[in-house]
Amino acid sequence: MSRLLPLSDASWPARLAPGLFVLIWATGFVVARLIAPHAEPLTFLAVRFGLTALVLTGIALAAGATWPRGWRGWRDAMVAGILIHGLYLDAVFWAVHRGLPAGIAALVASLQPLLTAAVAGPLLGERVSPLRWLGIAVGLVGAGLVLAPRIGAAGAAGGIPPEALGVCFCGTIAITLGTLWQKRTAAAVDLRTNAAAQFVGALLLTLPLALLTERGEFDFSAPLLLGLAWAVLGLSVGGILILLGLIRRGAVAGVAALFYLVPPVSAAMAFGLFGETLAPVQLLGMVVAVVGVAIASRG
């Protein structure tokens, strides 16, 4: 995975960053399990985005970081935030809340590497090599194998809500475009202030939607507060800063391939934390996904 980074960045933190990102990102499954009975999805996300913006602002001010210059800098950061955080997470949380199984949502999200590779050339002039295309395809097969038993169970339970599936796919398109926008507009920005501005953009989108469509359910229980703390500090601060750093230093198609590892890692966490069993085909899928990312990172 270190090939996702240039040789000049081949220090041990840079080598660990892709694996650490996958581990952090996969904990989103745990957060969703914790908060689902305790808060409405958009209300939870609005609180999460607001707190994350405050935390990142405090970090940036303490470090004396440079803020975006002029309206264009703020616009670029907020557009990225609306796409990467606002539209993507709003869509996924809303879809799961409306009955889309989490495994199906993860499978839809795993289409991102294919979408990224398809548009990286026309939009960024980034060549996707045949080897990277092969790795992306192998990774998609691996993710599908991990989720295959869940897909069957979802169908037996009565099908998949088509509107929820469509919204989830739109969210995947949003994070794909956001990744490309970030790569194109944020080559030299300070990642701390850029991320803070991104979450301001996500909040400006999500808060009005929550006020218009939800009742503000948020019970302040221990599981909810624990999930919120990790969502802010672990996922939104730690995970996003690592992701933005990977996007800056690596080819976006190669970075996107890391998302194939998220469903297998999430499945492993579910097995350890919630006792969800893993079928042999899922174990095979984990291996295939790892192989696919290894191939894509060398393309």
Side-chain angles (χ1 to χ4, degrees), residues 149-175:
R150 296 182 185 179
I151 294 172
I160 299 170
E163 71 283 357
L165 183 63
V167 168
C168 188
F169 182 71
C170 289
T172 302
I173 294 174
I175 193 175

Side-chain angles (χ1 to χ4, degrees), residues 7-290:
L7 293 178
S8 59
D9 287 329
S11 61
W12 67 267
R15 291 177 181 274
L16 290 177
L20 183 60
F21 166 74
V22 171
L23 287 174
I24 292 175
W25 206 256
T27 61
F29 174 84
V30 178
V31 172
R33 286 288 298 267
L34 283 173
I35 67 97
H38 306 286
E40 290 176 290
L42 299 183
T43 298
F44 174 80
L45 289 172
V47 174
R48 170 181 170 179
F49 294 155
L51 290 176
T52 302
L54 289 175
V55 171
L56 287 168
T57 297
I59 292 173
L61 291 175
T66 302
W67 288 89
R69 298 184 182 276
W71 162 245
R72 183 173 181 177
W74 282 95
R75 179 206 65 187
D76 290 345
M78 288 193 292
V79 167
I82 288 171
L83 293 168
I84 295 174
H85 315 302
L87 287 173
Y88 170 65
L89 289 175
D90 288 0
V92 171
F93 273 61
W94 184 90
V96 172
H97 184 70
R98 290 301 179 99
L100 186 68
I104 303 300
L107 180 61
V108 174
S110 73
L111 296 174
Q112 187 200 347
L114 283 176
L115 295 174
T116 301
V119 298
L123 295 183
L124 293 179
E126 181 180 293
R127 179 180 176 271
V128 180
S129 68
L131 185 61
R132 179 156 286 164
W133 272 115
L134 174 62
I136 290 169
V138 171
L140 179 62
V141 171
L145 289 173
V146 171
L147 298 172
R150 296 182 185 179
I151 294 172
I160 299 170
E163 71 283 357
L165 183 63
V167 168
C168 188
F169 182 71
C170 289
T172 302
I173 294 174
I175 193 175
T176 300
L177 296 176
T179 300
L180 296 168
W181 180 266
Q182 177 72 14
K183 178 71 174 181
R184 186 172 185 175
T185 64
V189 301
D190 187 288
L191 293 182
R192 296 160 295 186
T193 56
N194 184 258
Q198 284 188 19
F199 281 101
V200 170
L203 178 62
L204 291 176
L205 170 74
T206 303
L207 181 58
L209 290 176
L211 293 174
L212 289 171
T213 63
E214 297 181 347
R215 294 173 295 178
E217 293 180 3
F218 197 93
D219 66 10
F220 292 95
S221 62
L224 178 58
L225 295 178
L226 178 62
L228 179 62
W230 176 250
V232 171
L233 299 176
L235 284 162
S236 293
V237 176
I240 290 300
L241 287 177
I242 294 173
L243 174 61
L244 297 181
L246 290 171
I247 291 171
R248 172 181 288 182
R249 293 192 293 265
V252 291
V255 173
L258 291 173
F259 284 86
Y260 281 139
L261 293 179
V262 173
V265 174
S266 293
M269 289 181 177
F271 173 73
L273 295 173
F274 305 117
E276 294 187 4
T277 58
L278 293 171
V281 68
Q282 291 178 293
L283 296 174
L284 174 62
M286 289 185 185
V287 175
V288 173
V290 171

